Amino acid sequence: SDTGNYTCVASTAFSRSVRSSVLTVQQPPVYSGASAGSFHITIGAVTTTTAQIKFAAPGFDGRSSVLGYQLTCTPHPEYNFLSAATASSVGSPSLNMLTIQGLHPGAKYSCSYRAVNAIGTSALSRAVTLAMTHSRSRLPVVASVLGASSTSLEINYRPPPVAMQFGDIRGYVMRYKA
């Protein structure tokens, strides 16, 4: 690093001037040593639409105080109809856990984070897989009900939109009460 005490000497035949100054080189946060391999990212409590993600502070703050963290959870490819979810603790540097909201029940996400200081952001952490808990899917959309006979009905329906299918739908049960 170029951080250090620097001295400038200016001299002429008539005088000499010496000035010293400390130079501090700043950079984005760096995860080093034991924290570099995994960035210590773990998954905490998970519900159908929220998850708590815990993480560690960087080993080196870049000689600029850590301002907070940025967390991103990107849906796995099979959930390409979903958007990424983000959370930030910038402004709360001591916070080592974020709750990310707006996740899709039953979906899988890849979550990673970065530390932020006034100079920039750290490298992206390794991703961890987050599997959301399942929720009951929305009911099918009934397209039409026809009286097939005096004792039977013909029901035509469509499954709910893919975004409202919270897991695999294996079938429907129709009940009739007179």
Side-chain angles (χ1 to χ4, degrees), residues 13-67:
F14 304 103
S15 70
R16 180 174 182 200
S17 181
V18 177
R19 298 278 185 230
S20 293
S21 183
V22 175
L23 173 68
T24 301
V25 177
Q26 296 178 321
Q27 65 187 57
V30 176
Y31 283 85
S32 58
S35 66
S38 67
F39 282 65
H40 294 284
I41 183 170
T42 57
I43 297 170
V46 177
T47 69
T48 56
T49 60
T50 65
Q52 291 179 334
I53 310 291
K54 300 174 186 177
F55 41 83
F60 175 60
D61 67 4
R63 292 183 197 86
S64 175
S65 298
V66 172
L67 301 174

Short mmCIF file of all heavy atoms in Angstrom, two decimals, residues 13-67:
data_model
loop_
_atom_site.label_atom_id
_atom_site.label_comp_id
_atom_site.label_asym_id
_atom_site.label_seq_id
_atom_site.Cartn_x
_atom_site.Cartn_y
_atom_site.Cartn_z
N ALA A 13 19.74 27.70 -3.58
CA ALA A 13 21.02 28.17 -3.05
C ALA A 13 20.82 29.08 -1.85
O ALA A 13 21.72 29.25 -1.03
CB ALA A 13 21.80 28.90 -4.14
N PHE A 14 19.59 29.62 -1.70
CA PHE A 14 19.35 30.59 -0.62
C PHE A 14 18.53 30.05 0.54
O PHE A 14 18.57 30.61 1.62
CB PHE A 14 18.64 31.82 -1.19
CG PHE A 14 19.40 32.44 -2.31
CD1 PHE A 14 19.02 32.25 -3.62
CD2 PHE A 14 20.55 33.20 -2.06
CE1 PHE A 14 19.73 32.81 -4.66
CE2 PHE A 14 21.26 33.78 -3.11
CZ PHE A 14 20.86 33.58 -4.42
N SER A 15 17.76 28.99 0.30
CA SER A 15 16.92 28.48 1.40
C SER A 15 16.58 27.01 1.20
O SER A 15 16.78 26.43 0.13
CB SER A 15 15.64 29.30 1.52
OG SER A 15 14.80 29.05 0.41
N ARG A 16 16.00 26.49 2.27
CA ARG A 16 15.57 25.09 2.24
C ARG A 16 14.26 25.00 3.00
O ARG A 16 14.12 25.56 4.09
CB ARG A 16 16.62 24.20 2.89
CG ARG A 16 16.22 22.76 2.87
CD ARG A 16 17.32 21.88 3.37
NE ARG A 16 16.77 20.52 3.25
CZ ARG A 16 17.20 19.49 3.88
NH1 ARG A 16 18.21 19.62 4.70
NH2 ARG A 16 16.66 18.32 3.72
N SER A 17 13.28 24.24 2.44
CA SER A 17 11.98 24.06 3.10
C SER A 17 11.64 22.57 3.10
O SER A 17 11.80 21.88 2.09
CB SER A 17 10.90 24.86 2.36
OG SER A 17 9.66 24.70 3.00
N VAL A 18 11.18 22.10 4.26
CA VAL A 18 10.82 20.69 4.41
C VAL A 18 9.38 20.62 4.92
O VAL A 18 9.04 21.27 5.91
CB VAL A 18 11.78 19.97 5.39
CG1 VAL A 18 11.36 18.53 5.58
CG2 VAL A 18 13.21 20.08 4.92
N ARG A 19 8.56 19.85 4.27
CA ARG A 19 7.18 19.63 4.70
C ARG A 19 6.90 18.13 4.69
O ARG A 19 7.26 17.43 3.75
CB ARG A 19 6.17 20.30 3.77
CG ARG A 19 6.28 21.79 3.70
CD ARG A 19 5.56 22.42 4.88
NE ARG A 19 5.58 23.85 4.72
CZ ARG A 19 5.94 24.69 5.64
NH1 ARG A 19 6.30 24.27 6.82
NH2 ARG A 19 5.94 25.98 5.42
N SER A 20 6.25 17.69 5.76
CA SER A 20 5.87 16.27 5.85
C SER A 20 4.36 16.15 5.95
O SER A 20 3.69 17.03 6.49
CB SER A 20 6.51 15.62 7.08
OG SER A 20 7.91 15.57 6.93
N SER A 21 3.85 15.07 5.44
CA SER A 21 2.41 14.82 5.49
C SER A 21 2.17 13.32 5.49
O SER A 21 2.95 12.55 4.94
CB SER A 21 1.73 15.46 4.28
OG SER A 21 0.35 15.29 4.36
N VAL A 22 1.08 12.93 6.13
CA VAL A 22 0.68 11.53 6.14
C VAL A 22 -0.33 11.32 5.02
O VAL A 22 -1.31 12.06 4.90
CB VAL A 22 0.05 11.13 7.50
CG1 VAL A 22 -0.47 9.70 7.45
CG2 VAL A 22 1.07 11.29 8.61
N LEU A 23 -0.07 10.35 4.18
CA LEU A 23 -0.98 10.00 3.08
C LEU A 23 -1.68 8.69 3.45
O LEU A 23 -1.02 7.70 3.75
CB LEU A 23 -0.20 9.83 1.77
CG LEU A 23 -1.01 9.32 0.58
CD1 LEU A 23 -2.02 10.37 0.14
CD2 LEU A 23 -0.08 8.95 -0.57
N THR A 24 -3.01 8.73 3.44
CA THR A 24 -3.79 7.53 3.69
C THR A 24 -4.52 7.15 2.41
O THR A 24 -5.35 7.92 1.91
CB THR A 24 -4.81 7.76 4.83
OG1 THR A 24 -4.11 8.15 6.00
CG2 THR A 24 -5.61 6.51 5.11
N VAL A 25 -4.21 6.00 1.87
CA VAL A 25 -4.85 5.52 0.65
C VAL A 25 -6.07 4.71 1.07
O VAL A 25 -5.96 3.77 1.86
CB VAL A 25 -3.89 4.67 -0.20
CG1 VAL A 25 -4.59 4.12 -1.42
CG2 VAL A 25 -2.68 5.49 -0.59
N GLN A 26 -7.23 5.07 0.54
CA GLN A 26 -8.46 4.37 0.86
C GLN A 26 -8.89 3.53 -0.33
O GLN A 26 -8.56 3.82 -1.48
CB GLN A 26 -9.57 5.36 1.22
CG GLN A 26 -9.26 6.14 2.48
CD GLN A 26 -10.33 7.16 2.79
OE1 GLN A 26 -10.88 7.79 1.91
NE2 GLN A 26 -10.63 7.31 4.07
N GLN A 27 -9.66 2.49 -0.04
CA GLN A 27 -10.15 1.59 -1.09
C GLN A 27 -11.44 0.95 -0.61
O GLN A 27 -11.81 1.08 0.56
CB GLN A 27 -9.10 0.53 -1.39
CG GLN A 27 -8.83 -0.42 -0.23
CD GLN A 27 -7.67 -1.35 -0.50
OE1 GLN A 27 -6.58 -0.90 -0.76
NE2 GLN A 27 -7.93 -2.64 -0.43
N PRO A 28 -12.17 0.26 -1.49
CA PRO A 28 -13.37 -0.44 -1.06
C PRO A 28 -13.02 -1.52 -0.03
O PRO A 28 -11.88 -1.96 0.06
CB PRO A 28 -13.90 -1.08 -2.35
CG PRO A 28 -13.33 -0.23 -3.45
CD PRO A 28 -11.98 0.20 -2.94
N PRO A 29 -14.01 -1.96 0.75
CA PRO A 29 -13.75 -3.02 1.73
C PRO A 29 -13.23 -4.29 1.07
O PRO A 29 -13.56 -4.58 -0.08
CB PRO A 29 -15.14 -3.28 2.34
CG PRO A 29 -15.95 -2.08 2.02
CD PRO A 29 -15.40 -1.53 0.74
N VAL A 30 -12.41 -5.03 1.82
CA VAL A 30 -11.83 -6.27 1.32
C VAL A 30 -12.04 -7.37 2.35
O VAL A 30 -11.76 -7.19 3.54
CB VAL A 30 -10.31 -6.11 1.06
CG1 VAL A 30 -9.69 -7.43 0.62
CG2 VAL A 30 -10.05 -5.02 0.03
N TYR A 31 -12.55 -8.50 1.89
CA TYR A 31 -12.66 -9.68 2.75
C TYR A 31 -11.37 -10.45 2.60
O TYR A 31 -11.01 -10.84 1.51
CB TYR A 31 -13.87 -10.53 2.35
CG TYR A 31 -15.14 -9.91 2.84
CD1 TYR A 31 -15.80 -8.93 2.12
CD2 TYR A 31 -15.67 -10.28 4.07
CE1 TYR A 31 -16.95 -8.34 2.60
CE2 TYR A 31 -16.82 -9.69 4.56
CZ TYR A 31 -17.46 -8.73 3.81
OH TYR A 31 -18.59 -8.14 4.29
N SER A 32 -10.64 -10.61 3.71
CA SER A 32 -9.34 -11.26 3.66
C SER A 32 -9.26 -12.33 4.73
O SER A 32 -10.10 -12.39 5.62
CB SER A 32 -8.23 -10.22 3.86
OG SER A 32 -8.42 -9.55 5.09
N GLY A 33 -8.26 -13.14 4.64
CA GLY A 33 -8.04 -14.19 5.65
C GLY A 33 -9.19 -15.18 5.67
O GLY A 33 -9.70 -15.59 4.64
N ALA A 34 -9.62 -15.55 6.86
CA ALA A 34 -10.66 -16.57 7.02
C ALA A 34 -11.99 -16.13 6.43
O ALA A 34 -12.77 -16.95 5.98
CB ALA A 34 -10.85 -16.89 8.50
N SER A 35 -12.27 -14.82 6.40
CA SER A 35 -13.56 -14.37 5.90
C SER A 35 -13.62 -14.30 4.37
O SER A 35 -14.68 -14.14 3.80
CB SER A 35 -13.91 -12.99 6.48
OG SER A 35 -13.03 -12.01 6.02
N ALA A 36 -12.47 -14.43 3.69
CA ALA A 36 -12.46 -14.27 2.24
C ALA A 36 -13.13 -15.41 1.50
O ALA A 36 -13.81 -15.19 0.51
CB ALA A 36 -11.03 -14.11 1.74
N GLY A 37 -12.98 -16.62 1.96
CA GLY A 37 -13.51 -17.77 1.23
C GLY A 37 -15.01 -17.82 1.15
O GLY A 37 -15.58 -18.09 0.11
N SER A 38 -15.68 -17.53 2.21
CA SER A 38 -17.13 -17.69 2.21
C SER A 38 -17.86 -16.40 2.49
O SER A 38 -19.06 -16.33 2.32
CB SER A 38 -17.53 -18.71 3.27
OG SER A 38 -17.24 -18.18 4.55
N PHE A 39 -17.17 -15.38 2.95
CA PHE A 39 -17.78 -14.14 3.39
C PHE A 39 -18.75 -14.40 4.53
O PHE A 39 -19.51 -13.53 4.90
CB PHE A 39 -18.55 -13.45 2.25
CG PHE A 39 -17.72 -12.72 1.25
CD1 PHE A 39 -16.84 -13.36 0.43
CD2 PHE A 39 -17.87 -11.35 1.11
CE1 PHE A 39 -16.11 -12.68 -0.52
CE2 PHE A 39 -17.15 -10.64 0.17
CZ PHE A 39 -16.26 -11.31 -0.65
N HIS A 40 -18.78 -15.59 5.06
CA HIS A 40 -19.64 -15.95 6.20
C HIS A 40 -21.09 -15.56 6.00
O HIS A 40 -21.70 -14.92 6.84
CB HIS A 40 -19.10 -15.33 7.50
CG HIS A 40 -17.79 -15.88 7.91
ND1 HIS A 40 -17.64 -17.12 8.48
CD2 HIS A 40 -16.54 -15.36 7.81
CE1 HIS A 40 -16.37 -17.34 8.72
NE2 HIS A 40 -15.68 -16.29 8.33
N ILE A 41 -21.68 -15.95 4.89
CA ILE A 41 -23.09 -15.67 4.63
C ILE A 41 -23.90 -16.91 5.01
O ILE A 41 -23.56 -18.02 4.63
CB ILE A 41 -23.33 -15.25 3.16
CG1 ILE A 41 -24.81 -14.91 2.93
CG2 ILE A 41 -22.84 -16.28 2.18
CD1 ILE A 41 -25.08 -14.25 1.58
N THR A 42 -24.92 -16.70 5.83
CA THR A 42 -25.78 -17.81 6.25
C THR A 42 -27.23 -17.38 6.20
O THR A 42 -27.56 -16.20 6.26
CB THR A 42 -25.45 -18.29 7.68
OG1 THR A 42 -25.58 -17.18 8.58
CG2 THR A 42 -24.05 -18.85 7.78
N ILE A 43 -28.10 -18.37 6.11
CA ILE A 43 -29.54 -18.12 6.06
C ILE A 43 -30.12 -18.33 7.45
O ILE A 43 -29.86 -19.34 8.09
CB ILE A 43 -30.21 -19.05 5.04
CG1 ILE A 43 -29.65 -18.74 3.64
CG2 ILE A 43 -31.73 -18.90 5.06
CD1 ILE A 43 -30.05 -19.72 2.59
N GLY A 44 -30.91 -17.36 7.90
CA GLY A 44 -31.58 -17.44 9.19
C GLY A 44 -33.02 -17.92 9.00
O GLY A 44 -33.29 -18.83 8.22
N ALA A 45 -33.96 -17.27 9.66
CA ALA A 45 -35.37 -17.64 9.61
C ALA A 45 -35.94 -17.40 8.21
O ALA A 45 -35.65 -16.41 7.56
CB ALA A 45 -36.16 -16.83 10.63
N VAL A 46 -36.78 -18.34 7.75
CA VAL A 46 -37.41 -18.26 6.43
C VAL A 46 -38.90 -18.47 6.59
O VAL A 46 -39.34 -19.38 7.29
CB VAL A 46 -36.83 -19.34 5.48
CG1 VAL A 46 -37.54 -19.32 4.13
CG2 VAL A 46 -35.34 -19.15 5.29
N THR A 47 -39.71 -17.60 5.95
CA THR A 47 -41.16 -17.80 5.88
C THR A 47 -41.52 -17.99 4.41
O THR A 47 -40.63 -18.19 3.58
CB THR A 47 -41.92 -16.58 6.46
OG1 THR A 47 -41.73 -15.46 5.59
CG2 THR A 47 -41.46 -16.24 7.87
N THR A 48 -42.78 -17.87 4.07
CA THR A 48 -43.17 -18.04 2.67
C THR A 48 -42.71 -16.89 1.78
O THR A 48 -42.47 -17.07 0.60
CB THR A 48 -44.69 -18.20 2.52
OG1 THR A 48 -45.33 -17.07 3.11
CG2 THR A 48 -45.18 -19.49 3.16
N THR A 49 -42.55 -15.67 2.35
CA THR A 49 -42.19 -14.51 1.51
C THR A 49 -41.02 -13.68 2.05
O THR A 49 -40.63 -12.70 1.42
CB THR A 49 -43.40 -13.57 1.34
OG1 THR A 49 -43.80 -13.12 2.63
CG2 THR A 49 -44.54 -14.26 0.63
N THR A 50 -40.45 -14.04 3.20
CA THR A 50 -39.31 -13.29 3.75
C THR A 50 -38.22 -14.25 4.22
O THR A 50 -38.48 -15.42 4.50
CB THR A 50 -39.72 -12.41 4.96
OG1 THR A 50 -40.14 -13.26 6.02
CG2 THR A 50 -40.81 -11.43 4.60
N ALA A 51 -37.00 -13.72 4.28
CA ALA A 51 -35.88 -14.51 4.79
C ALA A 51 -34.88 -13.58 5.46
O ALA A 51 -34.71 -12.43 5.05
CB ALA A 51 -35.19 -15.26 3.66
N GLN A 52 -34.24 -14.08 6.51
CA GLN A 52 -33.18 -13.35 7.18
C GLN A 52 -31.85 -13.91 6.70
O GLN A 52 -31.64 -15.12 6.73
CB GLN A 52 -33.28 -13.49 8.70
CG GLN A 52 -34.46 -12.78 9.29
CD GLN A 52 -34.53 -12.96 10.80
OE1 GLN A 52 -34.02 -13.93 11.35
NE2 GLN A 52 -35.15 -12.01 11.46
N ILE A 53 -30.97 -13.03 6.27
CA ILE A 53 -29.65 -13.42 5.80
C ILE A 53 -28.64 -12.77 6.74
O ILE A 53 -28.67 -11.57 6.98
CB ILE A 53 -29.39 -12.95 4.36
CG1 ILE A 53 -30.53 -13.35 3.42
CG2 ILE A 53 -28.04 -13.45 3.86
CD1 ILE A 53 -30.65 -14.82 3.16
N LYS A 54 -27.72 -13.58 7.28
CA LYS A 54 -26.69 -13.10 8.20
C LYS A 54 -25.35 -13.11 7.47
O LYS A 54 -25.09 -13.98 6.64
CB LYS A 54 -26.62 -14.00 9.43
CG LYS A 54 -27.91 -14.07 10.21
CD LYS A 54 -27.82 -15.09 11.32
CE LYS A 54 -29.17 -15.24 12.01
NZ LYS A 54 -29.13 -16.26 13.04
N PHE A 55 -24.48 -12.15 7.83
CA PHE A 55 -23.20 -12.05 7.16
C PHE A 55 -22.17 -11.43 8.08
O PHE A 55 -22.50 -10.90 9.13
CB PHE A 55 -23.32 -11.23 5.86
CG PHE A 55 -24.20 -10.03 6.01
CD1 PHE A 55 -23.72 -8.85 6.53
CD2 PHE A 55 -25.53 -10.10 5.66
CE1 PHE A 55 -24.53 -7.75 6.67
CE2 PHE A 55 -26.36 -9.00 5.81
CZ PHE A 55 -25.86 -7.82 6.32
N ALA A 56 -20.91 -11.50 7.66
CA ALA A 56 -19.80 -11.00 8.48
C ALA A 56 -19.27 -9.68 7.93
O ALA A 56 -19.40 -9.38 6.75
CB ALA A 56 -18.68 -12.03 8.48
N ALA A 57 -18.62 -8.93 8.81
CA ALA A 57 -17.96 -7.69 8.40
C ALA A 57 -16.69 -8.04 7.63
O ALA A 57 -16.11 -9.11 7.81
CB ALA A 57 -17.61 -6.86 9.64
N PRO A 58 -16.24 -7.14 6.76
CA PRO A 58 -15.01 -7.43 6.02
C PRO A 58 -13.80 -7.44 6.94
O PRO A 58 -13.80 -6.79 7.98
CB PRO A 58 -14.93 -6.28 5.01
CG PRO A 58 -15.74 -5.18 5.61
CD PRO A 58 -16.81 -5.84 6.43
N GLY A 59 -12.77 -8.18 6.54
CA GLY A 59 -11.53 -8.22 7.32
C GLY A 59 -10.78 -6.90 7.27
O GLY A 59 -10.06 -6.55 8.20
N PHE A 60 -10.95 -6.15 6.19
CA PHE A 60 -10.27 -4.86 6.02
C PHE A 60 -11.29 -3.87 5.47
O PHE A 60 -11.89 -4.10 4.43
CB PHE A 60 -9.09 -5.04 5.05
CG PHE A 60 -8.38 -3.76 4.71
CD1 PHE A 60 -7.77 -2.98 5.68
CD2 PHE A 60 -8.31 -3.35 3.38
CE1 PHE A 60 -7.12 -1.81 5.34
CE2 PHE A 60 -7.64 -2.18 3.04
CZ PHE A 60 -7.05 -1.41 4.02
N ASP A 61 -11.49 -2.76 6.18
CA ASP A 61 -12.52 -1.79 5.77
C ASP A 61 -12.06 -0.82 4.69
O ASP A 61 -12.80 0.06 4.28
CB ASP A 61 -13.06 -1.04 6.98
CG ASP A 61 -12.03 -0.11 7.63
OD1 ASP A 61 -10.90 0.03 7.11
OD2 ASP A 61 -12.37 0.47 8.67
N GLY A 62 -10.84 -0.97 4.19
CA GLY A 62 -10.32 -0.09 3.15
C GLY A 62 -9.90 1.27 3.67
O GLY A 62 -9.79 2.23 2.91
N ARG A 63 -9.67 1.36 4.99
CA ARG A 63 -9.33 2.63 5.67
C ARG A 63 -10.42 3.68 5.48
O ARG A 63 -10.19 4.87 5.45
CB ARG A 63 -7.99 3.17 5.21
CG ARG A 63 -6.83 2.30 5.65
CD ARG A 63 -5.50 2.91 5.23
NE ARG A 63 -4.46 1.92 5.28
CZ ARG A 63 -4.17 1.09 4.27
NH1 ARG A 63 -4.81 1.15 3.14
NH2 ARG A 63 -3.22 0.21 4.40
N SER A 64 -11.65 3.19 5.32
CA SER A 64 -12.83 4.04 5.22
C SER A 64 -13.95 3.24 5.88
O SER A 64 -14.22 2.10 5.49
CB SER A 64 -13.16 4.33 3.76
OG SER A 64 -14.36 5.06 3.64
N SER A 65 -14.59 3.80 6.87
CA SER A 65 -15.58 3.06 7.65
C SER A 65 -16.64 2.40 6.77
O SER A 65 -17.12 3.00 5.81
CB SER A 65 -16.29 3.99 8.63
OG SER A 65 -15.37 4.52 9.54
N VAL A 66 -16.98 1.16 7.13
CA VAL A 66 -18.05 0.46 6.43
C VAL A 66 -19.36 1.19 6.73
O VAL A 66 -19.70 1.44 7.89
CB VAL A 66 -18.11 -1.02 6.85
CG1 VAL A 66 -19.35 -1.70 6.26
CG2 VAL A 66 -16.86 -1.75 6.40
N LEU A 67 -20.09 1.53 5.68
CA LEU A 67 -21.35 2.26 5.82
C LEU A 67 -22.55 1.32 5.92
O LEU A 67 -23.61 1.70 6.38
CB LEU A 67 -21.56 3.20 4.63
CG LEU A 67 -20.46 4.25 4.43
CD1 LEU A 67 -20.71 5.02 3.14
CD2 LEU A 67 -20.41 5.19 5.63
#
